[in-house]
Amino acid sequence: MNRGQLEKESGDWVKDGIITTAQRNRILSRYEKKSGHPVLLTFAALFIGLGFLTFIASNWSALPDMVKMSVLLFFLVAFYGVGAWVYQSRSKAVGLSLLLIALCVFGSGIFLTGQMYNFTSFSAFPFLVWSLAAFGLLIVFQESIVFIAALIIITAGQIYSGSMYQDFYIPLGVLFLAGMGWVLYRKGNRLLTALFAVSYAIQSLVFIFSYNWSYYWLILLFLLLYIVSHLPYGQVHLRTFGSIAVLSIFTVNVFQVFLLGFESEDVEYSNLFFLGWSILFIYAVIQSAMESTKFNWIDLLLFIPVFRIGAGDLLSLLLLFAYSLGWLLAGYRKERSDWVAKGTAALLITTFVAYFQLAWAFMDRSIFFFTGGLILFVLSYFLERKRRQVKGGETE
Amino acid sequence: MKRGLFYLVVALQALFLVTMSVSYYAMDHWGEKIKLETEPVDPRDPFYGDYVTLQYEIESFSEDQWRAEQIPNRGDIVYLIVEEDGEGTFELVEASPHSSEPSEGQVELKAKYEWHNRTEQIHQVSIGLDRYFIEENTGEDFEQTEQHVVEVIQAPWGQRKITSIE
C-alpha cells in the first residue's frame, strides 16, 4: 500500500473510531515519502541494459565465440549484482525483476552456449542446471515470485523432457518434490500451493505417458496428492492440494465417460495398481473418518477406479453425479454455501457431460443444443434459488 | 538475504557457463577423433534453415549386430562400438545394452534407442549429434539430402562435438 492510499483510508478509520489520530500518525510514519529518483534511475539503467541486449542480439551471429561468452558473463554478473543491490537498498520489486532477468540470462546462456559449441544432450539436463540456479535464488531471497519462476522452469523442463526424449527426467522430479516441496512446506501460501499442485498434475501426465503406463495410474498419483493435503499434521496452506487433486480426478472421470465403455476398449489392469490403490484408499477413508468435517469422504468417491468392470462410462458418470449431489446435500444440511457452490458447479458440468454422452449420437444437432441449454437453464434456476436460501440462512 | 550464499549461487552459474566453454576447447586436446558417414535426410524439420539435420549410417543397424536377446525400449541407453574401416571413416561393429571396454582401434559411443523396424529387421538409435548449426552468411552451404562425412571428437568425459562436415 502506498502512502497516498493510506492517508486517504486512514482518515476514514479515525472518523469511524477504529484508530486514534496518534495511532494514525504512527502508522503513516512507517510509510515515509520516497523520492521518485531511484525508481526513475533504475528504469533508466534497465532501458540502457535492454538497449545493449537487443543490440548484441541483433549482431549475435557476427560476434566471435569468445566475445559472446564474455558478453553473456558480463550481463549475468551485472544483472545479478545490480539486482541484489537494488533489492536491498532501493526497491524490492525492481530488484527482483532485475534478478529474474539475470536468471533468464543464465537460462539463455546455457542454450546459447550449447548452440555455439554444438553441444548435444541426452536429457533435460540444461533445464536441471537452470532450475538449480532458480532454486539457489529461492533459498537466498525466499520470495514468492522466485518460487514461481523455479516452478515454471522445472515444469517446462519436464514437458521438454517428455516431448523430446519420451522420458520423465528424475533429477528434476526429485528437485521438485524434495526441494520445492520442502520450501513450500516451510514458507508456502495458498497461491504457491495451488501452482505447485498444478505443476504436480502436469508432471504426473508426463510421468505416465513417458513410461507408457496406462492413464489409470493418474488416479493413484492424484489420490496421493489428496492424502497429503489432508494429513493431520500438515500445514494449513497445503489444504489447497486437495482442491487441485479433486479438480484433476474430476477431469479424469469426465474423460472416462467419453472414452470407456466400448467393449473393445476394456482397460487391461495391473494387480500392482490395485494393491497400491487399496492401501492408499483405505488410508484415505480412515483419515477422512477421523477428521472433524464428516463430509470429506464425498471427495473420495471420485477416486474409485471403475474402468475394471464393464460399462465404465456409465459408472464414471454415476461417480460424478454422486460427488455433485453429495456436496449439494451436505451443503444444504450444514448450510455451507461454499459446498453448495461446489456441488452446483459439479452438477452442471456432469449434467452437460451426461447429456452430451447420451444424446449426441441420436439427436438432431440443433434440437440437441436447444434442449441441452433448456435443461441447464432450468437446473441452474433451481440450484441458484436453493443456494440463495442457504446463503440467506447463513447471514441471518 | 544471505550474502555469502548469493555470491556462491552467482559464481556457480558463471562457472558453469565457463566450464561449458572450456570443456569444448579441451576436447581438441584430450578427445578422440572419428569420422562418420551420414545418410541423406528428408528435410521435414520445421526449423530447417539455421541448421542441418544429420543422420548417421551407424545409427541404423541390422538385428544381428545387436548383442542382446531383448529389444530395448524407446529412450534406453545403448552402446555402439565403432571401428575404422580402410577408408578413414568409422563403421559399426556391434551394439549392446551394456558398456564395455573397447579393444584397440575401437571407440565406444553412447546412444539412445529409438525404434525397431520389424519388416526390414533394423534397429534405429540416435547418437544425439543430429543437428549442426550453420551461422548465417558464412558461405557454408549444405544439402542435407546428400551424403556427408562428419568429423566428430569424443572427449573422455563423454562430451562430443562436430568439428567439420565434408
Side-chain angles (χ1 to χ4, degrees), chain B residues 10 29 156 159:
Chain B
V10 175
H29 189 72
Q159 196 186 346

Side-chain angles (χ1 to χ4, degrees), chain B residues 122-138:
Chain B
I122 279 175
H123 291 290
Q124 181 74 40
V125 299
S126 165
I127 58 169
L129 296 165
D130 55 350
R131 285 177 187 180
Y132 184 70
F133 290 90
I134 308 168
E135 286 172 21
E136 288 164 66
N137 312 319
T138 49

Side-chain angles (χ1 to χ4, degrees), chain A residues 60-73:
Chain A
W60 185 252
S61 54
L63 297 172
D65 285 351
M66 286 309 243
V67 178
K68 287 183 191 170
M69 266 327 279
S70 331
V71 166
L72 278 175
L73 288 174

Side-chain angles (χ1 to χ4, degrees), chain A residues 61 69 73 76 80 84 88 106 109-110 114-115 117-120 122 129 133 139-142 166, chain B residues 1-3 5-6 10 13 16-18 20-21 24-25 74 110 112 127-129 132-133 135 159-160:
Chain A
S61 54
M69 266 327 279
L73 288 174
L76 184 76
Y80 271 129
Q88 269 194 321
F106 179 60
I110 298 173
Q115 181 180 338
Y117 297 129
N118 279 307
F119 268 84
T120 50
F122 284 89
V129 176
I139 300 291
V140 174
F141 292 97
Q142 313 214 336
Q166 282 75 46
Chain B
M1 191 179 110
K2 300 152 190 160
R3 191 176 285 268
L5 192 64
F6 176 68
V10 175
Q13 291 177 38
F16 180 79
L17 292 182
V18 171
M20 268 177 97
S21 166
Y24 182 80
Y25 296 108
R74 188 184 171 82
K110 204 169 149 189
K112 269 205 166 180
I127 58 169
L129 296 165
Y132 184 70
F133 290 90
E135 286 172 21
Q159 196 186 346
R160 273 181 293 217

Side-chain angles (χ1 to χ4, degrees), chain A residues 266-283:
Chain A
D266 267 348
V267 180
E268 291 268 327
Y269 57 89
S270 134
N271 287 327
L272 200 64
F273 169 80
F274 276 99
L275 184 70
W277 179 83
S278 312
I279 295 170
L280 285 184
F281 195 77
I282 289 169
Y283 176 77

Side-chain angles (χ1 to χ4, degrees), chain A residues 122-253:
Chain A
F122 284 89
S123 62
F125 180 71
F127 277 96
L128 177 68
V129 176
W130 194 8
S131 10
L132 280 173
F135 187 67
L137 278 190
L138 176 62
I139 300 291
V140 174
F141 292 97
Q142 313 214 336
E143 294 275 356
S144 296
I145 187 81
V146 183
F147 186 92
I148 296 172
L151 208 59
I152 291 173
I153 296 170
I154 290 176
T155 316
Q158 206 61 270
I159 294 172
Y160 171 84
S161 176
S163 58
M164 292 294 286
Y165 306 108
Q166 282 75 46
D167 191 23
F168 180 83
Y169 194 49
I170 292 169
L172 264 184
V174 171
L175 176 66
F176 173 73
L177 286 180
M180 301 296 282
W182 178 71
V183 174
L184 183 75
Y185 181 78
R186 299 295 300 273
K187 298 253 169 190
N189 56 37
R190 282 171 148 268
L191 173 71
L192 297 186
T193 309
L195 291 175
F196 183 91
V198 169
S199 174
Y200 176 90
I202 294 173
Q203 294 194 48
S204 301
L205 281 175
V206 174
F207 183 80
I208 301 281
F209 288 122
S210 57
Y211 287 117
N212 274 328
W213 291 7
S214 190
Y215 82 95
Y216 58 71
W217 287 94
L218 286 175
I219 300 177
L220 215 64
L221 290 171
F222 294 155
L223 182 57
L224 210 58
L225 188 66
Y226 184 82
I227 287 177
V228 169
S229 79
H230 285 257
L231 283 179
Y233 302 106
Q235 303 269 46
V236 177
H237 63 259
L238 292 183
R239 294 269 149 152
T240 316
F241 276 170
S243 320
I244 304 290
V246 167
L247 202 65
S248 308
I249 195 73
F250 192 88
T251 316
V252 168
N253 272 296

Side-chain angles (χ1 to χ4, degrees), chain B residues 3-143:
Chain B
R3 191 176 285 268
L5 192 64
F6 176 68
Y7 290 144
L8 183 72
V9 168
V10 175
L12 281 178
Q13 291 177 38
L15 188 70
F16 180 79
L17 292 182
V18 171
T19 312
M20 268 177 97
S21 166
V22 168
S23 77
Y24 182 80
Y25 296 108
M27 278 161 77
D28 291 339
H29 189 72
W30 282 288
E32 242 172 322
K33 266 185 199 169
I34 53 172
K35 284 187 173 179
L36 299 171
E37 277 180 49
T38 65
E39 285 175 346
V41 176
D42 190 11
R44 263 182 308 194
D45 204 295
F47 299 113
Y48 178 63
D50 66 338
Y51 61 80
V52 275
T53 306
L54 300 170
Q55 199 171 329
Y56 300 89
E57 280 193 345
I58 58 162
E59 286 179 326
S60 51
F61 50 86
S62 62
E63 283 175 351
D64 51 278
Q65 282 173 301
W66 176 242
R67 291 285 169 271
E69 292 293 307
Q70 272 194 323
I71 294 170
N73 291 318
R74 188 184 171 82
D76 284 357
I77 303 284
V78 295
Y79 296 90
L80 310 178
I81 301 283
V82 294
E83 193 178 53
E84 196 180 350
D85 63 359
E87 290 140 25
T89 56
F90 280 69
E91 279 183 351
L92 186 78
V93 181
E94 58 173 38
S96 103
H98 308 290
S99 178
S100 56
E101 194 61 41
S103 40
E104 191 64 31
Q106 294 185 333
V107 178
E108 189 182 64
L109 294 173
K110 204 169 149 189
K112 269 205 166 180
Y113 192 80
E114 301 221 303
W115 68 79
H116 178 222
N117 186 333
R118 255 173 241 284
T119 45
E120 291 177 42
Q121 305 195 323
I122 279 175
H123 291 290
Q124 181 74 40
V125 299
S126 165
I127 58 169
L129 296 165
D130 55 350
R131 285 177 187 180
Y132 184 70
F133 290 90
I134 308 168
E135 286 172 21
E136 288 164 66
N137 312 319
T138 49
E140 286 183 279
D141 194 18
F142 288 104
E143 202 55 61

